[in-house]
Amino acid sequence: MDPVRNPFAPGAGQRPPELAGRERELDAFDVVLERVARGRPERSLMLTGLRGVGKTVLLGELRSMAIRRHWGAGKVEARPDAELRRPLSAALHRAVRDLAVRHRAPDRVDEVLAVLKAFALKSNKPDAKLRDRWQPGIDVPPAQGRADSGDIEIDLVELLSEVAELATDVGSGVALLIDEIQDLSPADVSALCAACHELSQSGAPLVVVGAGLPHVPAVLSASKSYSERLFRYTRIDRLSREDADRAVLAPIEREDAHIAPGALDALHTASGGYPYFIQAYGKAAWDAAPTNPIDEEDVRVAAPEAEAELAVGFFGSRYERATPAEREYLRAMAELTQGKDESAVTSDIAVYLGRKPSSLSPARDSLMKKGLVYSAERGQIAFTVPHFGNYLLTRAD
């Protein structure tokens, strides 16, 4: 098959595999936008799931849906050990610009931008030298006494209230989308929950949509006991067989090509229904097929190529971030779960390694911080990456 036309290549096709089978989530968000636009109360959203299920792509599509409804929309990717204030300022600046094109009072827009600039400038340390001070690129003087206290919880409530009022002026709303939300600091999580609580009480037209690993609900509830009332949690999982087949068939058929039923079965077995893997194995199978249709032998020949690419870009890049002690912990998890996508008992890991549980806590906590493992239940630990255990068992160190 022509590799130039490969519909599984990154950026190809009208709808990537990550969005196949996500109609329920897209329809639900459409309802949220409609309800908020009509001034009715609605909870913000949290998308949770493992790596490779398409949360980031789905988040991007939700942002596009908000923009198509003429909402202001900004997207942030949280990073470990990085404060939220600066990237959030950039995201909200984008949202305000979206709203400004429909606002008839430039002075009112400038007032909101002044508050935003005041909020943004507080990301600079008081003792920072002039050359090291970040400037947010907002061409108005910063406001005084609004969103500039230095307390992120107070400032975020004030800033989001201002932005939401601007949206109200034009009969619209604001969508703030935050990826990798589990990487926010405890202070930032607390501020976000407080802001969502305040805005929901006032009926402000602003929705927060977060995406993160399966333990995000625990992260939020540890910050604010009322967080479960603020967010509607949606678990994003692997695709059903029907949706997985559609994720393969749709892009192939758009190229007027075909795939044999046996090849479709083989692709599903290899990918496990995870969208990222569907794309990797589908791309390799297309490139390996000499003629149309793609058959089972093409998938068999392509599998090592797909697995080699995943080993470097998906699994290997994460494994390389682990220290020797952390790798020992990861391999013990893989052995105990026999490479399956299941949880391991932390006390069993200690027994397996012949160590005291307390001596393994630093490695486990560091792996959680790096986003390689998560704990959905006390005493249990699991990989955030599907098939990671199998990768570790087959890896030749």
Side-chain angles (χ1 to χ4, degrees):
M1 309 282 269
D2 183 358
V4 175
R5 295 170 51 212
N6 194 320
F8 295 97
Q14 298 175 2
R15 172 159 288 194
E18 290 90 340
L19 287 178
R22 304 305 185 205
E23 290 80 8
R24 181 173 63 88
E25 289 79 10
L26 297 174
D27 290 345
F29 188 62
D30 202 43
V31 171
V32 169
L33 294 176
E34 184 65 28
R35 287 181 62 87
V36 173
R38 295 186 179 189
R40 298 179 180 178
E42 184 58 87
R43 286 180 293 172
S44 289
L45 308 177
M46 285 292 156
L47 311 175
T48 68
L50 299 175
R51 308 283 186 195
V53 295
K55 299 187 301 297
T56 298
V57 174
L58 180 57
L59 205 63
E61 180 62 20
L62 298 184
R63 178 178 177 273
S64 297
M65 288 173 64
I67 291 173
R68 288 195 290 271
R69 279 181 171 262
H70 305 294
W71 279 41
K75 186 169 177 287
V76 177
E77 181 176 341
R79 298 184 183 278
D81 302 320
E83 293 183 355
L84 178 62
R85 191 180 288 261
R86 185 174 296 187
L88 183 62
S89 300
L92 288 175
H93 190 194
R94 173 63 186 269
V96 170
R97 294 201 305 271
D98 290 340
L99 298 171
V101 297
R102 300 175 56 222
H103 206 287
R104 295 182 179 181
D107 289 347
R108 174 62 184 138
V109 174
D110 285 348
E111 288 175 5
V112 176
L113 287 174
V115 175
L116 176 56
K117 188 170 186 177
F119 175 87
L121 289 174
K122 281 299 176 179
S123 66
N124 292 317
K125 303 301 180 185
D127 58 349
K129 295 180 180 179
L130 186 60
R131 66 173 181 272
D132 297 327
R133 289 180 173 270
W134 176 65
Q135 292 296 326
I138 299 174
D139 295 329
V140 296
Q144 299 294 322
R146 190 75 174 152
D148 63 352
S149 71
D151 184 318
I152 183 65
E153 192 161 315
I154 295 172
D155 294 349
L156 187 58
V157 170
E158 294 184 346
L159 174 61
L160 293 184
S161 296
E162 289 281 350
V163 175
E165 286 177 15
L166 188 70
T168 301
D169 292 346
V170 295
S172 183
V174 177
L176 176 61
L177 304 104
I178 306 176
D179 203 3
E180 304 292 352
I181 201 164
Q182 75 282 339
D183 288 336
L184 293 178
S185 70
D188 288 338
V189 171
S190 178
L192 185 67
C193 289
C196 288
H197 180 63
E198 182 72 21
L199 292 168
S200 67
Q201 296 284 0
S202 64
L206 189 146
V207 174
V208 173
V209 184
L213 295 173
H215 65 294
V216 161
V219 170
L220 296 176
S221 64
S223 175
K224 296 289 187 183
S225 59
Y226 55 75
S227 65
E228 70 275 4
R229 302 196 305 271
L230 300 177
F231 305 105
R232 181 162 58 82
Y233 296 99
T234 299
R235 179 67 184 262
I236 308 300
D237 210 337
R238 71 179 80 188
L239 300 177
S240 67
R241 176 61 196 267
E242 180 182 357
D243 289 331
D245 285 352
R246 189 152 50 92
V248 174
L249 289 169
I252 289 176
E253 290 173 353
R254 281 198 296 267
E255 295 295 333
D256 294 323
H258 303 280
I259 181 169
L264 204 57
D265 292 339
L267 276 177
H268 187 263
T269 299
S271 70
Y274 290 103
Y276 191 91
F277 298 153
I278 290 173
Q279 191 154 3
Y281 283 96
K283 178 178 181 297
W286 177 281
D287 288 342
T291 59
N292 185 20
I294 299 170
D295 61 26
E296 192 171 355
E297 177 64 13
D298 297 327
V299 176
R300 187 190 67 78
V301 170
E305 178 67 27
E307 289 160 5
E309 184 174 328
L310 289 169
V312 174
F314 193 67
F315 299 122
S317 61
R318 290 174 167 82
Y319 183 74
E320 294 302 322
R321 294 166 54 200
T323 66
E326 292 163 4
R327 292 178 185 181
E328 180 184 48
Y329 195 95
L330 293 172
R331 282 193 289 268
M333 288 177 60
E335 291 287 351
L336 290 170
T337 59
Q338 298 180 332
K340 299 176 183 177
D341 293 331
E342 299 174 352
S343 296
V345 179
T346 53
S347 58
D348 289 348
I349 296 172
V351 171
Y352 181 86
L353 294 175
R355 305 268 296 279
K356 293 182 178 180
S358 58
S359 70
L360 296 174
S361 295
R364 183 192 66 236
D365 293 346
S366 180
L367 287 169
M368 291 180 68
K369 190 173 183 179
K370 291 177 179 178
L372 294 175
V373 301
Y374 74 97
S375 177
E377 285 183 48
R378 185 176 179 81
Q380 304 247 342
I381 200 81
F383 296 115
T384 62
V385 179
H387 299 180
F388 197 62
N390 184 64
Y391 161 76
L392 293 173
L393 293 183
T394 57
R395 178 185 172 89
D397 284 321

